[in-house]
Amino acid sequence: MGMSTGQNVLISGRIVWKSGDLFKGKAKIDFNTKLSVIKVGKGVTEYSFGLAVSKQDPALPHFMGLMQAEARSVYQSGNVPPSFSFKFKDGDVIDDQGIPFAQREGYAGCIVFALTTQQPISWFKYENGQNGLINEGVKCGDYVNVQVNMKANVPVNPKHKAGMFLN
């Protein structure tokens, strides 16, 4: 058990939520202490957004299959426990507070993946037959193609939850 080497997959969808600025990021906050995370004397910046992928998208079953295979790769038995966190929500079910996810803009009929990285995101816009690097303009509601690095992780500390990193 541990962390896999991961794999990269391209998927298309719509940005339905973001944490902080998609270009500048946001200070990472420790879940338990609620304080900024500091590494090497500097605050850690995180870039996070929710990507809604239509359940009708022909690429979705392949993406989900790769996630399952990635999760199985860190368990010798190949059986992924029910508590494993895959970092997605079904936009057509009810949340923990009894509210349908479908009431949220862009969730209905989609699987919404939580994507997070500590690396600045390079955003490109396709214009005049080529991709050009941009520094502003991507927002919630936009449709994007995303190169996702998925890595399954089973932490050594049993207090931490096993799950998928979707970067």
Side-chain angles (χ1 to χ4, degrees):
M1 294 201 294
M3 187 184 305
S4 79
T5 56
Q7 53 188 315
N8 294 315
V9 185
L10 184 67
I11 191 80
S12 299
R14 181 179 183 206
I15 299 174
V16 292
W17 62 261
K18 65 184 180 71
S19 179
D21 186 290
L22 290 169
F23 293 88
K24 296 176 186 167
K26 178 181 174 184
K28 180 177 180 176
I29 304 298
D30 182 274
F31 182 78
N32 296 312
T33 67
K34 308 299 184 219
L35 299 172
S36 293
V37 175
I38 306 293
K39 284 188 182 173
V40 195
K42 282 180 58 177
V44 175
T45 300
E46 222 172 37
Y47 304 81
S48 303
F49 63 94
L51 184 73
V53 178
S54 170
K55 291 180 181 179
Q56 304 304 313
D57 187 326
L60 185 61
H62 176 70
F63 189 85
M64 298 292 281
L66 289 173
M67 283 181 66
Q68 286 290 332
E70 180 65 19
R72 286 191 304 272
S73 76
V74 294
Y75 292 98
Q76 289 179 341
S77 68
N79 296 320
V80 180
S83 62
F84 188 87
S85 178
F86 278 95
K87 307 296 190 304
F88 70 83
K89 302 283 185 206
D90 182 334
D92 296 323
V93 300
I94 310 265
D95 71 13
D96 295 340
Q97 287 80 40
I99 301 167
F101 282 114
Q103 288 182 0
R104 299 177 187 177
E105 175 71 27
Y107 275 60
C110 295
I111 300 293
V112 180
F113 297 95
L115 306 174
T116 304
T117 184
Q118 292 177 11
Q119 302 296 322
I121 300 172
S122 295
W123 295 97
F124 295 87
K125 184 175 184 177
Y126 188 76
E127 277 186 322
N128 302 321
Q130 60 185 353
N131 286 313
L133 186 63
I134 58 173
N135 295 315
E136 61 182 19
V138 179
K139 61 191 178 316
C140 284
D142 287 351
Y143 289 86
V144 294
N145 296 321
V146 181
Q147 183 71 35
V148 177
N149 176 259
M150 57 176 71
K151 283 186 186 179
N153 179 45
V154 178
V156 176
N157 184 339
K159 291 181 181 181
H160 297 147
K161 191 172 182 180
M164 187 70 62
F165 290 130
L166 296 176
N167 302 309

